[in-house]
Amino acid sequence: MDKLKCPSFFKSRRKEKVTASSENFHVGENDENQDRGNWSKKSDYLLSMVGYAVGLGNVWRFPYLTYNNGGGAFLIPYAIMLALAGLPLFFLECSLGQFASLGPVSVWRILPLFQGVGITMVLISIFVTIYYNVIIAYSLYYMFASFQSELPWKNCSSWSDKNCSRSPIVTHCNVSTEFGDIIQMNKSWVDSNNFTCISGSEVYHPGQLPSEQYWNKVALQRSSGMDETGVIVWYLALCLLLAWLIVGAALFKGIKSSGKVVYFTALFPYVVLLILLIRGATLEGASKGISYYIGAQSNFTKLREAEVWKDAATQIFYSLSVAWGGLVALSSYNKFNNNCFSDAIVVCLTNCLTSVFAGFAIFSILGHMAHISGKEVSQVVKSGFDLAFIAYPEALAQLPGGPFWSILFFFMLLTLGLDSQFASIAEETITTTIQDLFPKVMKKMRVPITLGCCLVLFLLGLVCVTQAGIYWVHLIDHFCAGWGILIAAILEIVGIIWIYGGNRFIEDIEMMIGAKRWIFWLWWRACWFVITPILLIAIFIWSLVQFHRPNYAEIPYPDWGVALGWCMIIFCIIWIPVMAIIKIIQAKGNIFQRIVSCCRPASNWGPYLERHRGERYKDMVDPNKETDHEIPTISGSGKPE
């Protein structure tokens, strides 16, 4: 098919071309950027951003934190941290990606010395993507297992042991011997020797719920520790393969295909949450669960505890997915004059309100579970894996029509996870980076490259579906999804605001969204220059002080496992100093001049298309020019040549 050429009305060395769909089918003829493509509709972008930001943590972590930190009172530090840390970083990354139309690595033309920060973001995202799809595989397995007349974890079965019980189990009791002595004996000995326990002397031990034993013994086939790898659990491996096939199928045309899929994957979880909330509200004991969630009388004294504020800040930070590179990548496909400010406000508020809304749906059903089991809500509430695959399935198993509700719940977890994967694979860790580094290759081979990356990541994830797989999942999460992201976020805001220049960056934003009054920027300057960096540094120091060796189900990790975790995070962040050294070596002049030159924007930094560069960037070098030095040469006077 012939290429359709637009008239050349720019003075740039690069002519913009409308490429035929057979060669570059991820670019539409009406796209502003004919090299990279743009979102087909504004709603495609917003739903992709919502799907990326709203994830599993909104459902299985936030409700627990709210309950544990004073109920409704927790919303105060949560809202404050949103305004002081979450929203400023979110707006910064959206503006950065949209301004340059570049992914998380190439966008560091803004500050070549910090290009390693972009590499760190991508590498951490790759590690997290590997285990995140394993969680999706768990959801697929449970969804398929729910297609039965009775949920398999509803009752203890052949796969369970003697500790399987919803009621406390008697482990010891006192017995009277034939000589009149009273001694305490193990209950199994008492039963086997036909003795009778003295009433009131029983020692109880909490039994393991059928759903807990099903999770460990059937779904995971969990081994005794990380040292015992065991075999690959074949049905989890098949579910993992299916998860990657779904991701690959949704992404083979990049944002043109994923932007359509998110209309379902981003909106469906809200439908399910609404259905679960309505169903939960009709159950006996639901009000008790909700009162525990929001606090019948919110405990405002909790606000005096530093731990509460730390929890609020970290939840906001990780929930909005800032510093992972995905926000930069997703925004890089926007048209230049898109209002990224209003987008940031809408997505952040949607994310936070979703967390609050999800809590009502979760706790209404947990309240019913506590009611029918005769326990307090605090005894059944869980967080993370324990909520998603033990506590909530246990509650659903007690409902009439349990399989239907279970299918809905795990399908919701599936769609929540897939949204984040779409952004991590299609627009962040792989294709955007390749698009920026090898644009010609990506135009011709997008499908095989995308599917090839999915295949490689599937193979790397197989270790996470062995009998020791859950230990690997927890290890990667413990090391890679913590400090590395905090380090990247701190360097990102310091580099852009303190070195590149906050006022200069604001001028870049105004080129996109129009000039604003000085009072509009007063809040953003305060956050970007002072408040947000201080908060991030405080969270980082707190996480170092609170560091503990990882364990799962009270099983400690071996020394080699902990060492491996440190190696993973070091591998991710080592590129920050490595790339800084490489850039300094490539520069010219004495050591001071080299460092200064690396702290200046590259000659090809600026708006991607010439029509948007204006007077400020009229001398900008073509961003696609491969032979151009990305570091300006510094003359003896200290000015760039």
Side-chain angles (χ1 to χ4, degrees), residues 248-262:
L251 303 180
F252 76 103
K253 286 189 178 181
I255 61 171
K256 298 301 183 184
S257 55
S258 67
K260 299 298 180 287
V261 175
V262 293

Side-chain angles (χ1 to χ4, degrees), residues 294-473:
I294 61 175
Q297 294 181 344
S298 295
N299 186 4
F300 287 95
T301 59
K302 279 274 190 178
L303 301 183
R304 301 173 186 172
E305 301 176 13
E307 184 77 16
V308 173
W309 292 85
K310 189 269 294 183
D311 283 347
T314 52
Q315 176 63 17
I316 278 288
F317 183 75
Y318 292 114
S319 178
L320 292 177
S321 301
V322 292
W324 295 85
L327 301 179
V328 174
L330 289 167
S331 299
S332 71
Y333 294 100
N334 277 332
K335 293 182 178 180
F336 186 77
N337 295 118
N338 173 66
N339 191 340
C340 53
F341 171 73
S342 63
D343 293 346
I345 298 293
V346 168
V347 174
C348 287
L349 289 179
T350 301
N351 176 76
C352 295
L353 292 175
T354 300
S355 297
V356 176
F357 178 59
F360 287 98
I362 297 298
F363 269 81
S364 62
I365 292 183
L366 289 181
H368 174 68
M369 175 183 171
H371 174 76
I372 62 176
S373 61
K375 299 179 180 178
E376 290 295 322
V377 176
S378 58
Q379 294 176 284
V380 299
V381 67
K382 304 287 183 181
S383 178
F385 289 112
D386 288 346
L387 171 64
F389 300 107
I390 297 177
Y392 212 71
E394 176 68 21
L396 295 175
Q398 309 307 311
L399 295 180
F404 170 76
W405 301 111
S406 181
I407 292 168
L408 268 185
F409 175 72
F410 287 109
F411 194 50
M412 179 190 70
L413 292 187
L414 171 65
T415 54
L416 282 172
L418 285 175
D419 278 337
S420 299
Q421 288 295 78
F422 292 161
S424 296
I425 299 300
E427 284 82 59
E428 181 190 348
T429 59
I430 305 296
T431 59
T432 296
T433 302
I434 298 174
Q435 168 73 37
D436 294 336
L437 298 177
F438 309 103
K440 294 181 180 178
V441 174
M442 199 59 185
K443 284 182 180 181
K444 296 179 179 179
M445 302 183 65
R446 171 172 288 273
V447 173
I449 288 176
T450 300
L451 296 181
C453 291
C454 289
L455 176 61
V456 171
L457 292 172
F458 162 71
L459 295 175
L460 291 174
L462 286 177
V463 69
C464 295
V465 290
T466 61
Q467 289 178 286
I470 190 65
Y471 303 106
W472 286 91
V473 168

Side-chain angles (χ1 to χ4, degrees), residues 581-612:
I581 292 171
I582 291 174
K583 293 296 183 182
I584 292 173
I585 292 174
Q586 290 177 343
K588 298 179 181 180
N590 58 42
I591 186 64
F592 174 75
Q593 291 173 337
R594 289 171 184 246
I595 294 175
V596 171
S597 69
C598 292
C599 291
R600 298 179 183 272
S603 57
N604 57 355
W605 162 255
Y608 195 92
L609 300 180
E610 184 176 359
R611 73 181 81 167
H612 299 135

